Amino acid sequence: MYLIENYTRLPVSFVRGEGVYLYDESGKEYLDFLSGIAVCSLGHSHPKLSRAICDQVNKLIHVSNLFINPWQEELAGELMKEFWTEGKVFFCNSGAEANEAGIKLVRKFFRDRGENRYRLITFRKGFHGRTYGSLSATAQGNLHKGFEPMLEGFDYAELNDINSVKGLISKETAGVMLEVIQGEGGVNECDPEFLREVQELCRGEGLLLIVDEVQTGIGRTGMFYGYQHYGIEPDIITLAKGLGGGVPIGAVIAREEVAEHLTPGSHGSTFGGNALACRSGLVVVEEVKRLLPHIQEVGEYFKGRLEDLKVGMVKGKGLMLGLDIGRECKEIVLKALERGLVINCTGGSVLRFLPPLIVGKEHIDEAIEILREVIQ
Ligand SMILES: *Cc1c(COP(=O)(O)O)cnc(C)c1O
């Protein structure tokens, strides 16, 4: 009644969660194949995560970034271990904020060198967030509507079309920003060959390559970072969603030579990477590193079972999967919810599956049975 109506909420209120299950006020059980939109990577009430959070709450939640924060340093170290080269980390609170920082960093990198390069090439159907920088990077006209003018300096190319990228390069182009699998746009995968060409193009033209790993990062696709499937070497990656297991946290990782351009006072965040968020992130990262073979295995199994349904095209990797049924899928999301399966719909006709990374084959079987009923 008092909430601004910028969301159309589904008619259910969850009060408790355990593992891959959620429970509503009446005690009804739901299989959670959304994870709060790729956020609750370890599922709900994960004993180790809950313990760490409670312990940290009882010690210290927040002191600001005016002081040394050992948990931040430890988490940055763990994230860097998986990155392809030396680099540094900046912590914030969300995906949009991570992308803002990434976009600012790209501009600063070239400004510091006295170069007037500030334009970023991004991709149609991409999604980078709702703040002005990240929204301007998001090449979806319907999301810009009513909020114009967008921030200057973004050019939109077609995914998997290298010529559309080449055609946009000018002497003011600073970089290329993309998701290796577009999440909100409908689980659209980049071709490996396309990504190699983008990488080559960036190297040749002296452009920075930014990979938005807000959804694909931290194990979601079966590799720790999504870009690792393709052997590319991004200059900057951004993280959020799954990193805190439900506690808000975002991060930017930049290659050493790029990272050093965010000098003292040039950028900041009051909450960014506080003790509570970093303690959560540390547990998530430790568990996800262990879960990677499991994610690959159950991801393959899930993909196979979706293909066996023969009701549309299956897309995605690991536990970031989509089923394009070729027609509006909102109705199916509602029917699935009634039968106790939480999923969502992106890109109009794509059912999206983002189960907790701890999901087992038995849960997948359960979800497939519900899907079979509601689709047919
Ligand atoms: C969700 C998402 C964002 C935005 O993250 P917020 O935390 O909602 O600001 C940015 N990029 C990608 C790829 C996302 O999936």
Side-chain angles (χ1 to χ4, degrees):
M1 204 173 211
Y2 296 109
L3 295 176
I4 291 182
E5 295 185 359
N6 60 319
Y7 292 106
T8 328
R9 295 173 201 269
L10 293 167
V12 55
S13 141
F14 299 116
V15 292
R16 191 169 71 79
E18 205 179 310
V20 298
Y21 292 99
L22 286 167
Y23 300 88
D24 72 10
E25 288 163 313
S26 72
K28 180 176 166 186
E29 184 177 85
Y30 299 77
L31 196 50
D32 182 8
F33 269 44
L34 182 60
S35 310
I37 320 184
V39 166
C40 302
S41 32
L42 302 184
H44 304 282
S45 313
H46 187 277
K48 219 168 137 188
L49 181 59
S50 299
R51 257 199 313 275
I53 290 173
C54 290
D55 177 61
Q56 195 58 45
V57 165
N58 286 319
K59 275 191 188 132
L60 186 71
I61 296 176
H62 174 89
V63 292
S64 87
N65 285 304
L66 303 178
F67 306 95
I68 290 168
N69 175 338
W71 298 284
Q72 224 178 68
E73 296 194 6
E74 199 181 331
L75 180 56
E78 290 304 313
L79 294 173
M80 284 316 306
K81 274 185 202 162
E82 304 296 318
F83 197 57
W84 66 277
T85 183
E86 300 291 302
K88 295 221 159 98
V89 184
F90 164 78
F91 287 109
C92 51
N93 311 287
S94 69
E97 277 181 59
N99 288 329
E100 286 300 322
I103 293 163
K104 285 179 74 178
L105 178 53
V106 170
R107 290 192 175 188
K108 187 76 164 39
F109 175 79
F110 287 106
R111 293 289 181 214
D112 285 352
R113 293 152 37 129
E115 292 183 57
N116 186 35
R117 292 214 222 175
Y118 64 96
R119 305 193 72 85
L120 275 180
I121 296 172
T122 62
F123 293 87
R124 300 211 181 271
K125 294 189 182 170
F127 184 82
H128 302 293
R130 305 287 195 152
T131 54
Y132 267 104
S134 64
L135 183 61
S136 303
T138 298
Q140 297 194 45
N142 58 321
L143 301 183
H144 295 176
K145 207 158 169 263
F147 297 109
E148 302 90 347
M150 289 294 114
L151 186 68
E152 209 217 324
F154 293 87
D155 300 301
Y156 307 139
E158 298 295 330
L159 200 69
N160 295 328
D161 177 355
I162 194 68
N163 288 326
S164 78
V165 184
K166 286 181 181 162
L168 290 171
I169 292 179
S170 73
K171 59 182 195 317
E172 289 171 345
T173 304
V176 177
M177 179 168 173
L178 53 81
E179 299 154 85
V180 292
I181 304 174
Q182 292 181 331
E184 300 310 303
V187 195
N188 309 314
E189 292 183 73
C190 284
D191 296 335
E193 182 56 26
F194 170 73
L195 285 175
R196 274 193 294 275
E197 287 172 332
V198 168
Q199 171 86 76
E200 222 171 274
L201 189 64
C202 287
R203 289 250 163 91
E205 302 278 339
L207 311 178
L208 297 179
L209 176 59
I210 304 116
V211 178
D212 179 342
E213 294 264 6
V214 169
Q215 193 159 151
T216 52
I218 319 295
R220 177 52 60 187
T221 68
M223 296 292 255
F224 192 78
Y225 298 126
Y227 78 80
Q228 292 169 327
H229 287 283
Y230 307 94
I232 54 171
E233 299 177 337
D235 299 286
I236 298 172
I237 65 171
T238 55
L239 301 166
K241 291 205 164 91
L243 177 56
V247 178
I249 182 168
V252 178
I253 300 181
R255 181 161 75 70
E256 196 88 44
E257 192 201 336
V258 176
E260 66 194 23
H261 290 268
L262 277 192
T263 46
S266 65
H267 190 62
S269 166
T270 300
F271 292 122
N274 76 16
L276 177 63
C278 288
R279 265 303 283 285
S280 306
L282 276 165
V283 175
V284 170
V285 166
E286 188 189 338
E287 291 298 299
V288 167
K289 285 183 182 179
R290 220 172 34 77
L291 280 167
L292 288 175
H294 168 83
I295 298 164
Q296 288 159 14
E297 193 192 329
V298 294
E300 276 307 304
Y301 178 76
F302 192 11
K303 197 168 190 177
R305 297 246 30 207
L306 285 171
E307 277 161 357
D308 290 344
L309 284 176
K310 294 191 169 49
V311 291
M313 194 181 41
V314 182
K315 315 195 275 185
K317 281 189 176 2
L319 290 171
M320 179 175 178
L321 297 175
L323 176 62
D324 192 340
I325 58 168
R327 61 191 153 93
E328 178 56 53
C329 54
K330 273 191 198 134
E331 190 77 9
I332 289 174
V333 169
L334 264 171
K335 281 191 185 150
L337 187 69
E338 275 166 27
R339 307 220 178 178
L341 173 66
V342 180
I343 52 174
N344 92 332
C345 166
T346 64
S349 62
V350 182
L351 293 170
R352 180 172 50 168
F353 309 101
L354 300 163
L357 306 179
I358 55 163
V359 71
K361 288 181 182 166
E362 67 280 17
H363 306 122
I364 289 166
D365 291 342
E366 204 180 320
I368 291 286
E369 281 325 301
I370 297 173
L371 280 174
R372 193 192 303 281
E373 286 171 34
V374 298
I375 294 176
Q376 282 149 9

